[in-house]
Structure formats: structure tokens, C-alpha cells
Amino acid sequence: MDYVQAGVSGLLLGGIYALVAAGLALYFGSLRLINLAHGEMVMMGSYVGFALFSEYGLSPLWTVVLIVPVGFAVGYLSYVLLLQRARKQSEAALILLTFGMAVALSGLARWIWGPTPRTVNVISNSIPLMSLNVSSVRLLAFAIGILLTISLQWMLQHTSLGKTIRGTAQNYQLAQACGIDVEGVYAVTFGIGAALAVAGGVLIGMLFSVDPEVGSSWTFRAFAIVAAGGLGNIGASALVGLGLGLTEGVSNLVVGSRLTELIAFIILVAVLLWRPKGAWR
Amino acid sequence: MKRWDTRLFLIIATAALAGGIFSTGLNAYYQSLAFSLLLYIGLAVSWNLLAGFTGYLSFGHTAFFAAGAYAAAIAGRGVPPLAVIVAGGIGALVLSVAFVFPLIRLRGMYFAIGSLGISEVCRVLALEFAPITGGATGHPIVSGVEKQMGLLILTILVFLLATLSGILGSSRLGKQMIAIREDEDAAESVGIATLRLKLLALCSSAFATGSLGVMYGWWLTYADVSDLFSISRLVTYVAGTVLGGLGTLTGPVVGSLILGLIAESAWVRFPFLHQLATGLTIILVVVFLPRGVIGAIAQVIVQRASSRSRSKSQSRWTDGSIQRTDALSAAPKGLTDQSRTEVE
């Protein structure tokens, strides 16, 4: 029964994994950009959720609503001001730039909030579900995570913006020839990815404590999920995210939390070595 | 690696040697400052061996560094210092061949994120294997090496490393590595053994980093997981290399000397602001000064020289592909970018 309990709570966590990975999948599929700062964006989301909760008593649920436009604006601007220039130079410049962004964001959090872990003390009820106990906060975070992931998928499939993003990802030269402002689409894509990352961060902040070092583990997780799920394939990534959450939940019980951290990495390396250019080819 | 770069590099390396030896006579504060600076320089030069020459940006070097320190911890007092240094290097080398080498077939960003993951895995493994590493509590390092002696050995080690990297820079081997950085497919098509050269660059880089880890272990007399795997040290020498100019000889030394000095003096009073400033340094240099300080100076020098004697320099660049990469990187920025986009 313990395993089922752990599995269910891991699966609920997987909903947030899916959301965090969806952001990365989106701009990785479109821009071929591995953003080493993705996890740090998640971390900033958690911190903002914490700050608004502890200063103004604002519920993290409202913070999610507030932070999405802010995350979008920051992502959009950082693409226009920084990433776009580095992309024109070389791939190495882009890697170093996102690495620098990761370091700077982590440093910013350290400067503002200090190195000690911070926690949002939201009241969590335990909901009995058949013979299991499910934390209400976790269930809520799962629901929001899945909801946002699904709405992203819907946006990509059914709106003209989504079609533009997909078209540009498929063939940017052709998109350019059709009169699409490719760089503008890239900026929007990156903005959406950043918005999803910080939104995921707020949800994660409801469940776990956050410290300035936590970012890189989210980068790995997101990238492992995206690599295993397929390029830009948000649906498949979401399933892999749920699967990873489930696996981690159970393995937490079996081998302990420290070795569980390695699972995402093992998936990542296995995919990279098995299909060096990614599992999607 | 241009000729003036090599010359300037040798002057600076000699100055560092002299400075290091000189500082052994000073008080403990200056000794410790000199140690930190030399360590940053050594690490930047080692990192540049892989990242600067072949263009493979590795963020897994923290693991190599830690391997060296743990070698020092295991060796203890009885073993001769030179043997421990070599053992630390070999430890890092084994780690690099076992973990990072499988990843080196990957290009660009895939390699970068994979290597970042390697260091994370090694950190977790170091925490798990408590009998060897002491786990989270750490492991004391006893050695017969006094601080003064340690500083002297480090000085010599860094000088040797710098000299080797200088020799590599002007050798055929080094130029083949640069060809990999500029265009790996083209390098392979003209018969350069890219995989073998990447392995060589990785191994020498890892070996050097591991031996520096030994020196650090001796100096600190304690091996602690969170300190050895701390990303902030990696960040400092990566940022230093980028600031000075990735892929030049002098750049890593100058850049990490600047950042090391700032890190050791000003930021002691603002420990939390330090990381933010280092991150911003990387961002700003990458975006606005892509060739780094030394690279920007080089561009000016080369431009002036080429406008003075255009006919002479043209005949120099026509004999062979390796020189062509040199010419390409030495060409004015606008021209290079144009030709690159045309190739794409």
C-alpha cells in the first residue's frame, strides 16, 4: 500500500513536471535552444510565490495567474535583447549565455533571499481517496499543471499564433518566405516557455522548499523529459513527465531521495547515447 | 593562436611564475591570495584546453577537480607528493574517459548539458560513498606538504601547464583541434582524426584539473563535497576564460586573474552579490564582447597589421587549411559573420 501511496503522490507531482517540461519542449522544438537557465526560471517562480505569500498573504493560486504575463514579458525581452544576438554569433555563445543567465538568476535569488531554504506554508488537507491519502495542495497543483499543459497544446493546435509557432519550428525559411517575422515568433515562443516555467515554479513552491541551488535539478528533469518525449512533442513530453513523477515517487521509497535524483539523469544520458541527436529522429 | 598571443602568453606565464615564487616569502594572507589566483589561472588554462581548443564547453570539470582532492585524501601522508599529483590527474582522467567521453560524440549543447549532468551524478555518488569520501561530513586530508611548499608546487604546476598549452597552441596538433572548433565536419573531411583529438584534449584537460584538485586538497586539508563540487568555482574560471577570450592563450589567464582578484578582494564583503555579478559578467561579455578582452585587442592589432601589409599577409594564408581557419578567425568580424551565414 505504501508503494501505491508513493506512486500516486509521485504521479501528481508528474503533472507539474509535465508543465515545466512543456515550456522547454516548446522552445527547444522551435529554436533548438537548450536553455540551461530553465530550472532557474522555475526557481524564481517558486521564490516569487514565496515572497508574495509571506509578504502579502497572497495565495500561490493567484500568484500563478499574476506571474504568467510577467514571465512572458521577461522571457520575450531576454530573447530580443540577449538570446537573439548570441544566436547570430554561434552555438557556443548561446550555451555560455544561458549558462550565464542560470548563474545570474541563482545569484539574484541568493542576493535577495539568502542561501537558506524558504517554504510556503500553505494549509494542506489530506483528502481520503479510496484507501489513499492525497494532499489537497498536491492535487490542486497537479490539476493546474495539467490544465496549463493542455491549454498550451490546444493553443498550438487551434489558434493562428499556435500554427505560426509550429510552422516556424518546422521550416523557418519557408515561414520567412511566407512573410512571418521569424525572430518575433521565436521571441514569443521563448516568452511562453518562460511563462510556463515560472508558473510551474510557483506550483512547485507550494510543495517543496526552495533554495538558490535548486535550479539545475529542474533543468535536468525538464531536459530528460523533453529528450525522451520527443522534439516539440508536448503531449508525449507530458506523458513522460507523469511517468517520471511516478517512478521517482516509488524509487524515493526504495532507494532514498538522493539516488532518486539520478533517475532523470540516467534517462537523459541513455537517450543521448542511444540516439545522439535525440530520441525524435 | 596568433604569434603575438603566444609571445604575450609566455611573458604572462613567466610573470605568474615569478609572482608565485615571490609570494612564498610573504605573509599568510598574501600566500593565500596568490594560491587562489594561481588556482583560478590553472583551472582556466585547463578548461581552455578542451573548451577553447576544440569548442566543447564542459561543465563537468568540478568532478575532475574533486577527483584530485579525493586522491589527496586517500593518499595521506606516506606517499611522495609527485606521485599523489599524478594519481589525482589519473583519477580525473579515468573519470573523464568513463563518463564524459561517451558524451563527446554529441555536439554543442547536448555535450554541455550532458557534462553538467556528469558533475551532478558524481556529486551524488560522492555523498553516497561515505567510506571513501566521508559523505556529507567530509574527509580530512593529511599530507607532508606545508602551505609554503604547496604554493611553490602549484606555481610550478601552473607554469608547466601554461607552457604545455602554449606549445600545443602553436603546434600542428593544436591547430587541428582549432579546426574542430571552427567546423568539425570540414575538419573530418580533410582527414583530421577528430575523435582521437577530442579524446586527447579531454584527457589532458581532465588530468590537469585533477592535479590542481590535489593541490587544493593539500591547501585546504579537508575534502568537503559541497565545496569541491561548488558551481561557483567553475563559474569563476569559466567566466574568466570568457571574459579574457575563449580559445586564446592569454585570455583565460588574464580574465581569471581579473575575476579572481575581484572575487578574493571586493566580494568578500558582498558574498551574496558575487554570484549575480559573475553571471552578469558572462551575459554581458557573450553578448557585447564576444571575443573577450584579448580577442577584441587582437582584432584591432590584426586589422592594423593587415591594412599595413595586405600583400604580405595574403601569401601567408594560402598554404593549407589550418592557416585558413586562423585567417578566418583573424578576419574582421563583419566579414567572418557574412561568410559564415553564407555557408549556412
Side-chain angles (χ1 to χ4, degrees):
Chain A
M1 213 61 228
D2 282 352
Y3 290 106
V4 180
Q5 175 77 50
V8 167
S9 86
L11 192 66
L12 291 180
L13 195 57
I16 308 178
Y17 288 5
L19 176 62
V20 170
L24 188 71
L26 180 65
Y27 56 64
F28 182 49
S30 168
L31 287 90
R32 303 282 160 135
L33 164 70
I34 292 177
N35 178 12
L36 293 176
H38 193 74
E40 273 72 15
M41 293 181 186
V42 173
M43 175 204 74
M44 284 314 278
S46 303
Y47 267 120
V48 170
F50 157 78
L52 292 182
F53 181 79
S54 60
E55 292 285 321
Y56 306 106
L58 192 68
S59 155
L61 298 178
W62 284 111
T63 312
V64 173
V65 178
L66 289 177
I67 207 168
V68 165
V70 177
F72 177 81
V74 172
Y76 186 91
L77 286 178
S78 60
Y79 183 83
V80 172
L81 296 178
L82 304 171
L83 290 157
Q84 195 179 349
R85 292 170 199 242
R87 250 168 73 83
K88 284 183 184 145
Q89 288 171 29
S90 65
E91 197 184 18
L94 202 54
I95 297 167
L96 282 171
L97 176 64
T98 61
F99 181 67
M101 282 162 62
V103 172
L105 282 177
S106 165
L108 184 66
R110 191 181 292 269
W111 182 44
I112 301 177
W113 290 287
T116 45
R118 304 299 182 117
T119 328
V120 178
N121 292 312
V122 276
I123 300 148
S124 172
N125 302 317
S126 183
I127 303 169
L129 191 78
M130 290 184 283
S131 54
L132 301 171
N133 280 316
V134 179
S135 128
S136 60
V137 173
R138 208 168 259 241
L139 198 61
L140 198 63
F142 172 79
I144 297 172
I146 292 295
L147 190 73
L148 282 173
T149 312
I150 289 174
S151 42
L152 172 71
Q153 182 74 351
W154 182 86
M155 189 275 284
L156 285 178
Q157 296 296 337
H158 297 288
T159 64
S160 80
L161 173 67
K163 283 172 188 163
T164 315
I165 290 176
R166 282 190 298 141
T168 312
Q170 263 173 23
N171 191 333
Y172 75 93
Q173 279 161 328
L174 208 56
Q176 210 158 22
C178 293
I180 292 170
D181 169 22
V182 171
E183 291 296 340
V185 173
Y186 283 159
V188 169
T189 312
F190 191 73
I192 295 173
L196 294 180
V198 288
V202 177
L203 298 178
I204 287 161
M206 293 174 12
L207 304 177
F208 301 109
S209 66
V210 55
D211 65 80
E213 309 283 320
V214 86
S216 64
S217 75
W218 289 107
T219 307
F220 289 133
R221 246 181 226 129
F223 187 61
I225 292 168
V226 171
L231 172 72
N233 189 341
I234 290 162
S237 293
L239 286 181
V240 176
L242 290 175
L244 181 66
L246 180 72
T247 319
E248 285 195 351
V250 175
S251 102
N252 237 333
L253 213 59
V254 182
V255 294
S257 63
R258 213 181 269 155
L259 287 177
T260 299
E261 280 177 39
L262 296 185
I263 291 179
F265 178 76
I266 292 165
I267 295 174
L268 176 62
V269 169
V271 171
L272 286 179
L273 293 181
W274 172 50
R275 288 275 174 87
K277 303 262 169 170
W280 43 84
R281 289 213 179 153
Chain B
M1 314 289 163
K2 268 68 73 181
R3 195 177 295 164
W4 66 268
D5 187 24
T6 318
R7 275 187 208 149
L8 183 60
F9 181 65
L10 287 177
I11 295 168
I12 290 176
T14 316
L17 177 72
I21 292 173
F22 176 71
S23 65
T24 54
L26 299 172
N27 65 29
Y29 171 74
Y30 286 107
Q31 280 189 19
S32 134
L33 180 67
F35 187 90
S36 302
L37 292 180
L38 281 166
L39 191 67
Y40 280 131
I41 293 173
L43 287 169
V45 170
S46 314
W47 190 71
N48 192 50
L49 280 178
L50 180 64
F53 278 79
T54 65
Y56 277 74
L57 301 175
S58 157
F59 298 114
H61 273 57
T62 47
F64 306 152
F65 187 72
Y70 284 123
I74 295 162
R77 194 183 290 276
V79 189
L82 190 64
V84 183
I85 295 174
V86 173
I90 290 175
L93 199 143
V94 169
L95 213 57
S96 74
V97 172
F99 283 142
V100 181
F101 187 57
L103 294 175
I104 211 158
R105 289 165 188 274
L106 309 172
R107 296 278 170 90
M109 47 189 172
Y110 303 100
F111 178 78
I113 189 149
S115 65
L116 192 59
I118 294 289
S119 75
E120 191 63 18
V121 166
C122 290
R123 191 182 66 84
V124 172
L125 291 180
L127 283 171
E128 282 294 312
F129 291 123
I132 302 173
T133 63
T137 48
H139 194 299
I141 298 172
V142 279
S143 72
V145 182
E146 295 295 316
K147 295 240 154 168
Q148 211 171 357
M149 192 62 191
L151 181 57
L152 194 65
I153 300 177
L154 178 73
T155 309
I156 295 166
L157 195 65
V158 170
F159 182 72
L160 283 178
L161 248 171
T163 314
L164 279 177
S165 127
I167 292 171
L168 186 67
S170 48
S171 74
R172 188 180 167 77
L173 219 55
K175 283 177 177 159
Q176 288 181 332
M177 287 176 182
I178 294 167
I180 294 177
R181 180 188 75 197
E182 295 292 319
D183 189 333
E184 190 164 342
D185 294 318
E188 199 158 342
S189 71
V190 295
I192 293 172
T194 51
L195 193 63
R196 206 185 303 162
L197 280 171
K198 286 190 285 183
L199 179 62
L200 181 69
L202 173 66
C203 286
S204 45
S205 183
F207 187 92
T209 309
S211 58
L212 290 168
V214 174
M215 308 306 308
Y216 182 72
W218 283 342
W219 183 264
L220 208 68
T221 66
Y222 206 78
D224 175 59
V225 172
S226 62
D227 174 51
L228 288 176
F229 284 92
S230 107
I231 197 93
S232 66
R233 185 177 302 108
L234 174 83
V235 167
T236 305
Y237 60 80
V238 168
T241 310
V242 174
L243 174 66
L246 184 67
T248 62
L249 290 174
T250 327
V253 180
V254 174
S256 52
L257 193 65
I258 296 171
L259 286 190
L261 263 177
I262 296 174
E264 294 300 322
S265 55
W267 297 121
V268 177
R269 275 178 287 165
F270 315 101
F272 296 149
L273 203 57
H274 178 204
Q275 200 186 349
L276 176 62
T278 318
L280 288 178
T281 308
I282 300 180
I283 294 174
L284 293 177
V285 171
V286 166
V287 173
F288 297 107
L289 201 68
R291 281 144 201 268
V293 175
I294 296 295
I297 297 171
Q299 209 175 320
V300 174
I301 294 175
V302 168
Q303 263 170 355
R304 203 183 290 165
S306 68
S307 64
R308 207 181 295 148
S309 56
R310 181 143 293 167
S311 57
K312 223 190 278 175
S313 67
Q314 256 175 1
S315 63
R316 256 173 61 201
W317 301 129
T318 44
D319 52 345
S321 64
I322 305 307
Q323 276 85 352
R324 225 200 92 245
T325 41
D326 260 20
L328 200 65
S329 59
K333 186 171 173 289
L335 190 71
T336 328
D337 286 351
Q338 216 171 32
S339 59
R340 269 192 200 138
T341 41
E342 268 167 26
V343 169
E344 276 170 14

